[in-house]
Amino acid sequence: MGRSSTRGEGARPRVRHSRRDETGPQAGHGPRGDGSATRGHDRRERGPVPPEGGHRQGGPNRRTRRTSRGGKRRVLRWMAAVTALLILGTGGAGYLYYRHLNGNIKKEDLTLGDKQMADHKANAAGQTPLNILIIGSDARDSKENQKLGGAKETFGAPPLADVQMLLHLSADRSNISVVSMPRDTMLTMPKCTDPKTGTVYPASSGPVQTNESLGRGGPGCTVAAWYELTGITIDHFMMIDFAGVVSMADAVGGVPVCVNANIYSHTSDGKGSGLKLEKGTTSVKGKQALQWLRTRYGFEDNTDLGRAKAQHQYLNSMVRELRKGTKLTDPGKLMDLAEAATNALTVDKGLGTVKKLYDLAEELKKAPTDRMTMTTMPNVYGTGTLSGRVFPKPGEAEQLFRMVREDIPLDGKASKRKTPVPKDAAAPVEEIAVSVRNATGTDALGPARGRAGTVKDLLTDAGFARASVDSQNVAPAARTGLLYPSADLEGDAQAVAKALGIPLSQVKKSTDVSGIVLAVGADWREDGAYPAKAGEEEKTPESAGALNGADEEACMDVNPNFTW
């Protein structure tokens, strides 16, 4: 259903949004009830994220019963974490039940774009991060989804990716970062080919609303659109629809959420999610949980930004509840979670089995709750015909994307996990060959003249007689870093970093180079030693609205026009 995004301070711009919004039956009305038309891609407010389901229990035969109760519950617990943001997990299942759960899972291609995603760069320990795109589909392709989503005029229309969250698990597994992209974000769509019909959707010539990507062949096109915009390599996706959110929210049980005033998300013309809560903390589940996740009218300035913040609070609270273990002790409830999770999810083919999902969950559970950070892509409003739509905020959006690409924690904390000593000791410095590149250019400035040669001289003075300048490769880099191609050169690369005072966290393994390469970045444009501040942990832009997973005091601000 249509929706108008109103944001900012003072007079808020009205928007013509793509299709449906919350649960109201009408389209084409802004939050003020002024009858402004809405376009075909906004659609409905809906819950995005896979609330956690997960568990499995052994089948009825004696062999399965011989499996320890702990083993049965581990598999079921695993499912709960995978679907709620994949934060928990343990394992084991009877063969028949395993096949049953595998049969429930729906699978699609990872990416439908033409651009091949780059390989991850390993850290000094040889570890690589994991990036999972969480997609909330507003499809009205079943009676249950139609009942929950409303907006009859959209029944049978292409689905929209109304919720998009990228979950990043750090290479050392010490932290998790989540970046939400508002569904109103305008971006260039890549070429996508529908694997089922062969339909080719050409790349867009201008900005298109991001949630339309799902209708261009499936979730693989949403993945391709993210990669086109952010340059972040995406390893997996998980998608859920309205009915899936409700079934898993019921299976998980209540999740505490907080509002700072009574709220009723309802307008005179029938818009709103229908969420009605009293001031304070309430435990929501089922349809009420879906309403919370879909609410836009009633939170803050009635836009997707407030809705994203509410989704972050819900997910953080769900993770805390699941990690307490209080909802994962009843075998029957665990069975419900496993069934709900596998039935609700559509995943890429690389995650298409219970075993693969379990293995992923085993990795994700290593990051503690207080190292989980939820953010929203920094953005600005469009103007003219695109008033009310949002665009990535210059500088700050790219900073956030780069921090994820470079595996920099969004909570601003350095990893306490020690960097393993390379298996191969460094060669004598006079034998280490290192190629120096001038990567100091930025969007606003060209490369600083002579930087590669100057840094090469610093290395020569430190005894690196085989240091040289590579003048052919000057692709800009925000941060200075060292790349090496194989484990036998890791110690040598670290020796170069230590000689120049570059943190070892900026030494990465990469198949893009054939020898040790030092890229002098924009953080070292001036002569002298590598600046100490440049090696400090970066801070997430304030405009990203970072929320820590352990914050139990978070409470949504209610728009004064939606109280009762």
Side-chain angles (χ1 to χ4, degrees):
M1 50 172 65
R3 42 165 206 135
S4 302
S5 271
T6 58
R7 310 179 170 178
E9 298 180 4
R12 298 179 177 128
R14 287 177 311 182
V15 204
R16 301 184 161 228
H17 278 299
S18 87
R19 299 200 188 136
R20 7 189 164 157
D21 227 337
E22 302 160 340
T23 52
Q26 285 181 280
H29 295 276
R32 299 179 184 177
D34 59 1
S36 57
T38 60
R39 292 182 17 186
H41 33 274
D42 272 76
R43 286 193 199 151
R44 5 175 176 172
E45 295 211 315
R46 65 167 229 325
V49 104
E52 1 236 342
H55 51 311
R56 86 133 225 127
Q57 170 151 344
N61 57 58
R62 293 188 62 186
R63 178 182 178 185
T64 301
R65 285 198 294 268
R66 283 198 294 269
T67 302
S68 70
R69 291 182 180 179
K72 296 176 183 177
R73 291 177 181 171
R74 283 198 302 269
V75 162
L76 305 176
R77 288 187 176 190
W78 151 81
M79 289 301 302
V82 168
T83 49
L85 258 193
L86 332 177
I87 308 273
L88 190 57
T90 33
Y95 178 65
L96 293 179
Y97 194 68
Y98 174 81
R99 287 187 59 187
H100 167 69
L101 292 180
N102 279 344
N104 288 346
I105 302 170
K106 296 174 285 294
K107 297 171 280 291
E108 300 272 358
D109 290 343
L110 173 61
T111 179
L112 303 180
D114 289 344
K115 186 179 293 186
Q116 184 175 357
M117 288 189 283
D119 292 333
H120 288 297
K121 291 181 173 62
N123 63 12
Q127 303 163 309
T128 55
L130 274 171
N131 295 319
I132 303 100
L133 187 62
I134 309 296
I135 303 170
S137 165
D138 78 342
R140 284 149 169 84
D141 53 359
S142 67
K143 289 184 178 180
E144 185 62 18
N145 280 331
Q146 292 169 356
K147 179 181 178 182
L148 292 167
K152 292 182 179 180
E153 73 281 359
T154 65
F155 289 5
L160 298 173
D162 269 355
V163 177
Q164 300 173 33
M165 294 182 178
L166 181 73
L167 184 151
H168 170 83
L169 175 65
S170 66
D172 66 1
R173 307 309 189 239
S174 69
N175 65 90
I176 286 174
S177 300
V178 176
V179 178
S180 286
M181 184 184 296
R183 71 172 178 183
D184 297 332
T185 301
M186 306 301 291
L187 46 75
T188 301
M189 287 287 174
K191 175 184 175 183
C192 290
T193 302
D194 189 322
K196 297 176 182 176
T197 65
T199 301
V200 177
Y201 297 87
S204 65
S205 57
V208 176
Q209 191 161 306
T210 182
N211 62 354
E212 291 189 16
S213 59
L214 191 57
R216 295 166 59 88
C221 194
T222 305
V223 169
W226 267 79
Y227 186 65
E228 184 82 13
L229 175 67
T230 69
I232 298 170
T233 296
I234 297 173
D235 302 285
H236 301 292
F237 72 77
M238 304 183 76
M239 185 171 71
I240 189 170
D241 59 16
F242 293 143
V245 170
V246 171
S247 65
M248 288 205 290
D250 276 335
V252 169
V255 172
V257 295
C258 176
V259 288
N260 67 355
N262 293 350
I263 181 175
Y264 183 31
S265 178
H266 181 75
T267 66
S268 59
D269 59 355
K271 288 291 202 298
S273 70
L275 179 72
K276 190 171 185 179
L277 296 175
E278 294 182 354
K279 176 181 178 179
T281 300
T282 303
S283 183
V284 297
K285 63 179 180 179
K287 184 177 180 180
Q288 195 174 43
L290 177 64
Q291 290 174 333
W292 174 275
L293 293 166
R294 296 183 67 201
T295 294
R296 178 167 60 86
Y297 303 132
F299 286 150
E300 300 191 344
D301 61 356
N302 301 328
T303 69
D304 277 347
L305 298 184
R307 171 161 52 190
K309 187 180 294 184
Q311 292 165 355
H312 294 166
Q313 290 187 16
Y314 178 91
L315 290 169
N316 280 344
S317 182
M318 178 181 288
V319 170
R320 292 195 299 269
E321 289 296 297
L322 286 169
R323 288 195 166 186
K324 288 176 184 176
T326 55
K327 300 184 184 301
L328 301 174
T329 57
D330 184 315
K333 289 182 179 179
L334 291 176
M335 181 76 79
D336 291 341
L337 281 171
E339 291 292 340
T342 53
N343 275 306
L345 288 176
T346 299
V347 301
D348 67 277
K349 294 174 181 177
L351 282 183
T353 67
V354 170
K355 176 62 167 60
K356 290 176 180 177
L357 286 168
Y358 163 70
D359 290 342
L360 175 60
E362 281 291 290
E363 293 298 299
L364 288 159
K365 74 173 186 178
K366 295 175 183 177
T369 306
D370 63 0
R371 294 298 312 279
M372 185 169 73
T373 306
M374 297 275 187
T375 64
T376 300
M377 178 196 78
N379 57 85
V380 294
Y381 292 109
T383 58
T385 58
L386 294 176
S387 175
R389 303 299 174 90
V390 301
F391 290 80
K393 187 173 184 178
E396 295 186 14
E398 172 54 24
Q399 179 186 347
L400 190 68
F401 299 151
R402 181 177 56 78
M403 289 178 73
V404 173
R405 285 197 304 268
E406 297 182 3
D407 199 26
I408 300 171
L410 297 188
D411 60 7
K413 299 177 182 178
S415 175
K416 295 181 180 179
R417 298 179 181 175
K418 295 182 179 180
T419 300
V421 177
K423 294 180 180 179
D424 289 334
V429 294
E430 65 271 14
E431 297 179 9
I432 297 176
V434 53
S435 179
V436 184
R437 298 176 178 175
N438 185 348
T440 58
T442 68
D443 291 340
L445 300 170
R449 181 173 295 182
R451 290 302 296 139
T454 300
V455 174
K456 178 258 184 188
D457 290 342
L458 290 176
L459 285 171
T460 301
D461 292 344
F464 291 84
R466 297 183 63 192
S468 62
V469 171
D470 178 2
S471 58
Q472 301 302 310
N473 294 283
V474 293
R479 269 189 146 192
T480 297
L482 277 148
L483 301 178
Y484 62 93
S486 55
D488 60 316
L489 292 177
E490 181 181 359
D492 294 356
Q494 290 192 14
V496 176
K498 290 175 182 177
L500 295 175
I502 299 171
L504 294 183
S505 61
Q506 291 164 226
V507 179
K508 308 279 187 180
K509 182 180 178 182
S510 172
T511 56
D512 295 335
V513 296
S514 57
I516 297 173
V517 171
L518 168 59
V520 183
D523 58 348
W524 199 7
R525 289 178 63 91
E526 304 296 329
D527 289 346
Y530 184 67
K533 281 190 175 181
E536 293 178 354
E537 292 300 321
E538 287 190 78
K539 292 185 178 179
T540 301
E542 288 188 15
S543 56
L547 178 66
N548 185 273
D551 185 357
E552 298 187 28
E553 302 301 319
C555 199
M556 285 303 300
D557 290 331
V558 175
N559 186 293
N561 294 323
F562 289 85
T563 58
W564 56 277

